[in-house]
Amino acid sequence: LGYGSVDPSPVRFETAMAKQGPRKKLPKELAVINADNCTGCEACLEVCPVDCIMKIQQYDQFHNLQSWCEIDLERCVGCEVCVHIPGKKSNPYDLKVCPWDAIEMVPTDEWEAAHGINLPDAPPRPRPPPDGPGAAASTPYRPWPKYI
């Protein structure tokens, strides 16, 4: 590629910006989104350093109608960046990321007790995409299992 030329290959945002690999240990707190307050504005999605937040679309034919964000708790590292922008300790102002206060930090042990699920320290290794004709069209490839 020369100066001023454009690379025609698409670059996925999450692979270019996200921290790769599983988390090292189970965090003390996890970020949890209250779906009733979430409007799907994607403010949290843009700041997550590990790309564990994804947008859920209820209707495929109506873009942004009944959409909200959801956190993959097996990938969340508990950094709190989706809740507020970290600033100086001397600064009395807290800059919220979510304009609707839909995200809160919940202690991991309380979340596990309430849901009856023990989260692993590190999520399982990503699965390779399925091979064969029509495999990609039949099921979307998700490298991390989802808890619903």
Side-chain angles (χ1 to χ4, degrees), residues 65-123:
L65 180 67
Q66 294 293 325
S67 62
W68 62 93
C69 292
E70 197 171 89
I71 297 178
D72 185 354
L73 296 177
E74 285 194 355
R75 293 182 65 196
C76 179
V77 294
C79 65
E80 299 184 19
V81 174
C82 58
V83 178
H84 59 86
I85 303 288
K88 296 179 181 178
K89 296 203 185 275
S90 61
N91 187 358
Y93 301 107
D94 189 26
L95 297 174
K96 298 275 186 187
V97 171
C98 179
W100 308 105
D101 286 330
I103 306 172
E104 63 179 306
M105 298 303 291
V106 176
T108 304
D109 53 351
E110 287 181 18
W111 187 92
E112 288 177 333
H115 292 86
I117 298 172
N118 288 329
L119 293 171
D121 286 343

Side-chain angles (χ1 to χ4, degrees), residues 132-147:
S138 63
T139 57
Y141 171 63
R142 289 191 177 127
W144 306 101
K146 300 300 293 171
Y147 287 118

Side-chain angles (χ1 to χ4, degrees), residues 10-87:
V11 176
R12 294 181 53 161
F13 180 73
E14 65 233 16
T15 57
M17 297 298 291
K19 190 165 95 174
Q20 298 296 315
R23 65 180 174 217
K24 306 260 187 283
K25 63 179 183 173
L26 192 63
K28 294 178 183 176
E29 292 184 322
L30 295 169
V32 176
I33 295 179
N34 180 354
D36 292 336
N37 291 355
C38 182
T39 62
C41 70
E42 301 182 25
C44 57
L45 196 130
E46 298 294 326
V47 298
C48 181
V50 293
D51 283 339
C52 66
I53 304 173
M54 61 189 64
K55 189 170 181 177
I56 305 296
Q57 190 77 34
Q58 186 172 4
Y59 302 110
D60 290 334
Q61 64 270 26
F62 302 113
H63 186 66
N64 286 338
L65 180 67
Q66 294 293 325
S67 62
W68 62 93
C69 292
E70 197 171 89
I71 297 178
D72 185 354
L73 296 177
E74 285 194 355
R75 293 182 65 196
C76 179
V77 294
C79 65
E80 299 184 19
V81 174
C82 58
V83 178
H84 59 86
I85 303 288

